[in-house]
Amino acid sequence: MGLSPSFSCSSIGALIIGCLLLQASTSVALSPDFYSRTCPFVFDIIGNVIVDELRTDPRITASLLRLHFHDCFVRGCDASILLDNSTSFRTEKDAAPNANSARGFNVIDRMKVELERFCPGIVSCADVLTIASQISVLLSGGPWWPVPLGRRDSVEAFFSLANTALPSPFFTLAQLKKSFADVGLNRASDLVALSGGHTFGRAQCQFVTPRLYNFNGTNRPDPSLNPTYLVELRQLCPQNGNGTVLVNFDSVTPDAFDNQYYTNLRNGKGLIQSDQELFSTPGADTIPLVQQYSNNRFVFFGAFIDAMIRMGNLTPPSGAQSEIRLNCRVVNSRIRTVENEDDGVVSSI
């Protein structure tokens, strides 16, 4: 079904336009009004696709936020996670943290197709991911923030780095901190606030079962687990059961972006080990932040906005080749090669 820029008169457009009146100027190279003249309906087009997708897929907002996170942690926010396999590189989609787990690629494709209709060659796939994550949070009850824009797309993917740079659900707090610090997110608030993205969405049982039955090789459950919650999780994820079964990160408000996640941690009800580590690691500097965010939703929202902007500002190394991809799955030179092959001329640009 085709989209129309008239979506700006709908609820999402009204929210975005109203919020834009509040945005502050930014001193960094990226700018919230980067597309104000070249693609003024960019937020409307992306938001319309998400609203449409939510009718059949309540998970999509959390999935899109996760895609943005997994993109930025691998050589900066450059949409490298969206590239399919090619003869030049292996896709990040095959990396262990993403394989059979990262999702929403087809939704990004829909957004890009519509953007190419109205603003051909203008909006980068990296910015599509960034805007989609912000609108996903907003639609789920979370905050709005002025998203700095103007990113460009990488011309390669980084399979090996994706295997090592992304935090594991089995990480200890020390490992989590190192993973975040390695990309420049070295504040405790970065880690705790961004982990709050697990306030909605689902995880597969395979990432949960080790702490239910054999935590750290002890043949016992993770002692930080709430006993009642342990029973509930064992019913959902039986030992030697189907590892792809989905479990809500937050069993109380599973599809809402709120601060219930932090209350869950305080009650020993963090779904995966790396989440519960934020509160259950003795003497950790993350504990007071979990308490603050649990007590005050707006304090969490403010910290989340700050951390999202910091993460969104992670850039590829200086001198890295980039472009504005026409198709988020392939570099432009590959598209032109295929077009030339169709014309009987083979030439890679």
Side-chain angles (χ1 to χ4, degrees):
M1 182 170 115
L3 302 176
S4 168
S6 63
F7 184 83
S8 58
C9 296
S10 69
S11 57
I12 296 302
L15 278 171
I16 296 299
I17 292 170
C19 292
L20 280 171
L21 297 176
L22 303 175
Q23 75 182 31
S25 61
T26 177
S27 59
V28 297
L30 302 177
S31 170
D33 61 358
F34 187 83
Y35 297 112
S36 61
R37 288 187 174 86
T38 56
C39 193
F41 298 109
V42 59
F43 282 89
D44 304 320
I45 292 169
I46 292 173
N48 202 4
V49 173
I50 298 174
V51 169
D52 184 59
E53 193 70 21
L54 275 171
R55 294 189 178 101
T56 56
D57 183 4
R59 300 171 54 200
I60 193 59
T61 48
S63 297
L64 292 173
L65 177 61
R66 182 170 181 247
L67 274 186
H68 179 48
F69 183 99
H70 280 218
D71 179 44
C72 292
F73 262 63
V74 181
R75 286 233 325 179
C77 310
D78 60 1
S80 59
I81 192 173
L82 302 180
L83 286 168
D84 286 341
N85 277 317
S86 80
T87 55
S88 303
F89 51 78
R90 187 173 180 184
T91 177
E92 293 172 26
K93 299 173 186 178
D94 289 343
N98 297 324
N100 302 312
S101 175
R103 62 191 298 272
F105 299 106
N106 60 319
V107 181
I108 298 296
D109 290 341
R110 288 180 57 196
M111 296 171 185
K112 185 60 173 173
V113 166
E114 293 303 317
L115 288 166
E116 288 303 308
R117 281 181 58 200
F118 295 108
C119 319
I122 297 297
V123 182
S124 69
C125 298
D127 277 345
V128 172
L129 271 178
T130 308
I131 295 170
S133 67
Q134 183 239 34
I135 294 178
S136 292
V137 168
L138 182 67
L139 286 172
S140 302
W144 179 91
W145 64 95
V147 182
L149 300 169
R151 296 165 190 79
R152 292 176 63 83
D153 302 324
S154 71
V155 295
E156 59 181 320
F158 309 97
F159 169 80
S160 296
L161 186 57
N163 272 317
T164 58
L166 291 166
S168 163
F170 309 112
F171 269 4
T172 64
L173 181 59
Q175 291 171 314
L176 283 172
K177 285 186 171 183
K178 183 180 186 304
S179 178
F180 274 65
D182 283 348
V183 298
L185 300 173
N186 53 10
R187 306 184 311 190
S189 58
D190 293 328
L191 169 58
V192 180
L194 290 174
S195 295
H198 286 168
T199 193
F200 62 170
R202 319 284 188 268
Q204 296 181 21
C205 280
Q206 62 179 309
F207 303 119
V208 181
T209 49
R211 66 190 300 246
L212 305 183
Y213 303 98
N214 187 24
F215 182 65
N216 289 342
T218 61
N219 288 318
R220 297 182 61 82
D222 183 343
S224 68
L225 271 166
N226 178 296
T228 302
Y229 189 50
L230 172 62
V231 172
E232 294 173 4
L233 290 179
R234 282 181 165 179
Q235 291 174 344
L236 295 168
C237 301
Q239 196 167 22
N240 302 318
N242 183 350
T244 63
V245 170
L246 297 174
V247 185
N248 293 322
F249 270 110
D250 173 7
S251 60
V252 181
T253 55
D255 297 319
F257 192 94
D258 54 23
N259 62 334
Q260 181 63 43
Y261 164 85
Y262 299 102
T263 301
N264 293 343
L265 297 186
R266 296 177 72 173
N267 293 330
K269 294 185 176 182
L271 180 62
I272 56 177
Q273 177 186 344
S274 58
D275 283 340
Q276 194 60 51
E277 291 276 338
L278 301 177
F279 187 75
S280 296
T281 302
D285 59 354
T286 54
I287 294 175
L289 293 173
V290 171
Q291 293 170 330
Q292 287 178 32
Y293 301 164
S294 170
N295 291 333
N296 192 316
R297 176 166 56 101
F298 297 104
V299 171
F300 162 50
F301 282 0
F304 182 79
I305 289 170
D306 187 49
M308 283 293 288
I309 292 175
R310 279 169 54 81
M311 184 182 76
N313 285 340
L314 297 177
T315 56
S318 177
Q321 289 187 329
S322 64
E323 63 183 10
I324 305 299
R325 272 184 239 142
L326 303 179
N327 178 333
C328 292
R329 293 177 179 265
V330 295
V331 297
N332 292 342
S333 60
R334 178 57 187 158
I335 295 174
R336 291 167 187 150
T337 298
V338 171
E339 288 175 346
N340 288 335
E341 287 174 349
D342 289 343
D343 292 335
V345 179
V346 178
S347 62
S348 180
I349 298 172

